[in-house]
């Protein structure tokens, strides 16, 4: 069969988020994956990344990541423009995100997300109200 593109892998990864499937999310990353949610400190490796992501996934009763644009360069690096939506306390919060994912052997090895911390803080305050 046709080799999966990294674009397809990212769309699959986003599906795992939308299914709130932490095991599949973690399984999409290399063991030593570097993850940087740009305004905050980076995480490296499964233990740190899982500890960071798990509370988010548990706090949200629903997750919907919407991909507006996706592009893959000749090195297989994938860029996404997204709205990451989390339903918390029965209210949806929306975060506009620009993301970069680099791959090694079909797994995400480096993931950087850029977003506006001020807008994020405002949304979190609103839903936690």
């Amino acid at each position: 069969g046709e080799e999966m593109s990294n674009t397809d892998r990212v769309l699959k990864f986003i599906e795992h988020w939308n299914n709130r499937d932490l095991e599949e999310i973690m399984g999409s990353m290399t063991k030593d994956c570097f993850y940087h949610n740009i305004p905050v400190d980076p995480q490296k490796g499964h233990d740190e990344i899982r500890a960071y992501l798990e509370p988010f996934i548990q706090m949200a009763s629903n997750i919907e990541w919407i991909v507006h644009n996706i592009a893959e360069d000749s090195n297989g690096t994938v860029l996404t423009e997204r709205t990451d939506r989390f339903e918390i306390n029965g209210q949806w919060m929306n975060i506009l995100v620009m993301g970069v994912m680099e791959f090694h052997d079909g797994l995400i090895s480096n993931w950087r997300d850029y977003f506006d911390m001020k807008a994020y803080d405002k949304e979190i305050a609103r839903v936690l109200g």
Side-chain angles (χ1 to χ4, degrees):
E2 185 76 20
E3 174 63 14
M4 217 182 181
S5 70
N6 287 344
T7 298
D8 292 332
R9 290 188 174 100
V10 170
L11 292 172
K12 197 84 183 142
F13 182 66
I14 288 167
E15 244 175 68
H16 299 324
W17 274 95
N18 291 346
N19 293 329
R20 297 171 64 248
D21 190 336
L22 185 60
E23 295 316 310
E24 289 287 353
I25 289 168
M26 295 311 304
S28 305
M29 296 182 231
T30 61
K31 293 284 181 231
D32 63 348
C33 184
F34 178 85
Y35 169 51
H36 197 181
N37 231 352
I38 295 297
V40 298
D41 291 335
Q43 275 77 39
K44 190 163 165 57
H46 276 206
D47 292 348
E48 279 185 28
I49 295 171
R50 178 187 288 270
Y52 180 79
L53 297 181
E54 196 159 21
F56 257 102
I57 290 169
Q58 287 175 345
M59 186 168 53
S61 46
N62 273 300
I63 295 174
E64 184 188 16
W65 284 15
I66 300 161
V67 177
H68 304 292
N69 288 294
I70 190 163
E72 183 172 341
D73 75 7
S74 56
N75 300 317
T77 298
V78 179
L79 308 180
T80 55
E81 182 190 16
R82 315 190 308 263
T83 301
D84 293 0
R85 306 183 71 231
F86 298 87
E87 189 184 23
I88 297 166
N89 289 346
Q91 294 191 78
W92 284 96
M93 66 179 280
N94 300 294
I95 310 159
L96 300 175
V97 180
M98 192 71 217
V100 184
M101 291 181 197
E102 295 170 17
F103 286 79
H104 184 77
D105 292 337
L107 296 171
I108 299 163
S109 57
N110 196 317
W111 173 20
R112 303 182 294 284
D113 271 350
Y114 297 80
F115 61 93
D116 180 349
M117 199 64 185
K118 206 168 161 187
Y120 169 84
D121 285 342
K122 207 171 140 184
E123 280 290 271
I124 269 280
R126 184 178 60 77
V127 298
L128 294 180

